[in-house]
Amino acid sequence: LKPAPFEYLAADTLDQAVALLQDRGAEAKLLAGGQSLVPLMNLRLARPQSLIDLNPAKELAYVREQDGALTIGAMTRHHHVASSGLIREHAPLLAAAAANIGFPAIRHRGTIGGSCAHADPAAEMPLVALALGATFVVASSRGVRRLPADGFFVSHLTTALEPDEVLSEVTFPKPPKSDGWAFEELSRKAGDFVTVAVAVQVSVANGRVGRLEVALAGVAERPLKVPTGELSGRTLDEAFYGEIAERAGHLVAGPANGHGADDRAQVVRVLTERAVRRAVATAGQG
Ligand SMILES: Cc1cc2nc3c(=O)[nH]c(=O)nc-3n(C[C@H](O)[C@H](O)[C@H](O)COP(=O)(O)OP(=O)(O)OC[C@H]3O[C@@H](n4cnc5c(N)ncnc54)[C@H](O)[C@@H]3O)c2cc1C
């Protein structure tokens, strides 16, 4: 399989990528790890006239602690996200989810920016960006915008990015170290995209729920947050676990990936309850 002919352009810096994208217009595509785009091009489902390669732009690959947040350059590979000491210390949920992406070869090429811009509804990075309240920093010739993860993922393979915008950085607020967290996923076999995944971040005080974030992947055309607002302050009893599982099950949109909606809703209930229990069990041990 070979892609349709295209013009190859190397961007050495973010500014250069922005300028090339502005110049070549909507017929151009950015190339990050190529783990989603290249297969689409080989199948001729994507036929960009120009390919703007971000790999030479080394300034886009970093993990930093800055102003109480973790800032991660868009070209940071999944493997680096999974193994970074800073991320494992301050956002272990993110590191654990990254370690579950595909296979080692995919994780060594694929990037956090490419995954979030690609917006596969079953992908791990968009899921955790939503759960942890990440912000996407995007650049274009019109300047820089900061877009919250809530609202960034619009639909299947569609984000709030404009065609002339480059995602340059993803910023994660650092959760308190006493928070509990858990990541659970079900896939047909190791390395596959998930059928369903659940990401949970929770704070617990005096046997009661504090802040609770639960996000799901694989259940709709984009990652979804389970509504948890008024569960704050609830006692951690069986009724609480049952309710959060029910709420998650209600979000299941319909059949996908060959599984029926009822089966999927049941899987979502079970995985959510398991993940919330695990997250609560690890809370307060920071
Ligand atoms: C066999 C296989 C298994 C996989 N399994 C999983 C899995 O289990 N979980 C999972 O989440 N993913 C999985 N993936 C996908 C992988 O995570 C990709 O890395 C990811 O989807 C895209 O990242 P990339 O860096 O390769 O982006 P690319 O493929 O280079 O680009 C993807 C899209 O994003 C755009 N883009 C890239 N970077 C930017 C940017 N900085 N700003 C704006 N737009 C940009 C591109 O133009 C393109 O449209 C798998 C892939 C393969 C081939």
Side-chain angles (χ1 to χ4, degrees), residues 62-274:
Y62 54 85
V63 176
R64 294 183 194 130
E65 205 179 345
Q66 208 170 299
D67 304 328
L70 287 175
T71 61
I72 305 177
M75 286 299 291
T76 307
R77 315 281 169 182
H78 302 316
H79 167 73
H80 191 175
V81 173
S83 58
S84 151
L86 266 182
I87 296 178
R88 287 164 76 129
E89 182 183 352
H90 295 294
L93 170 60
L94 176 61
N100 274 274
I101 296 173
F103 309 95
I106 308 293
R107 293 196 292 274
H108 278 83
R109 288 303 302 166
T111 65
I112 188 168
S115 181
C116 291
H118 188 61
D120 189 303
E124 281 88 352
M125 292 299 92
L127 168 70
V128 176
L130 187 65
L132 292 180
T135 300
F136 295 101
V137 182
V138 304
S140 72
S141 54
R142 289 166 282 114
V144 172
R145 296 201 292 155
R146 300 177 70 83
L147 306 175
D150 214 345
F152 183 81
F153 302 105
V154 175
S155 184
H156 188 80
L157 309 188
T158 309
T159 68
L161 281 173
E162 299 291 343
D164 66 342
E165 285 181 321
V166 182
L167 174 57
S168 65
E169 181 176 280
V170 192
T171 299
F172 290 83
K174 280 195 304 189
K177 284 204 175 165
S178 56
D179 269 14
W181 63 275
F183 176 79
E184 289 278 348
E185 72 171 45
L186 177 80
S187 52
R188 286 158 78 93
K189 57 181 178 8
D192 273 7
F193 268 100
V194 304
T195 305
V196 170
V198 186
V200 177
Q201 185 81 26
V202 65
S203 66
V204 174
N206 304 320
R208 290 176 188 273
V209 185
R211 201 176 61 101
L212 173 64
E213 303 292 351
V214 182
L216 306 174
V219 302
E221 75 285 356
R222 60 188 166 86
L224 295 179
K225 265 178 129 168
V226 180
T228 56
E230 71 291 6
L231 291 177
S232 179
R234 280 276 297 269
T235 307
L236 290 161
D237 53 15
E238 291 305 307
F240 160 74
Y241 291 113
E243 180 159 352
I244 190 70
E246 272 314 307
R247 287 183 185 206
H250 273 127
L251 289 180
V252 174
N257 297 342
H259 298 264
D262 289 349
D263 290 352
R264 186 171 295 261
Q266 181 58 11
V267 168
V268 166
R269 281 188 212 100
V270 170
L271 278 193
T272 301
E273 181 172 341
R274 189 183 297 165

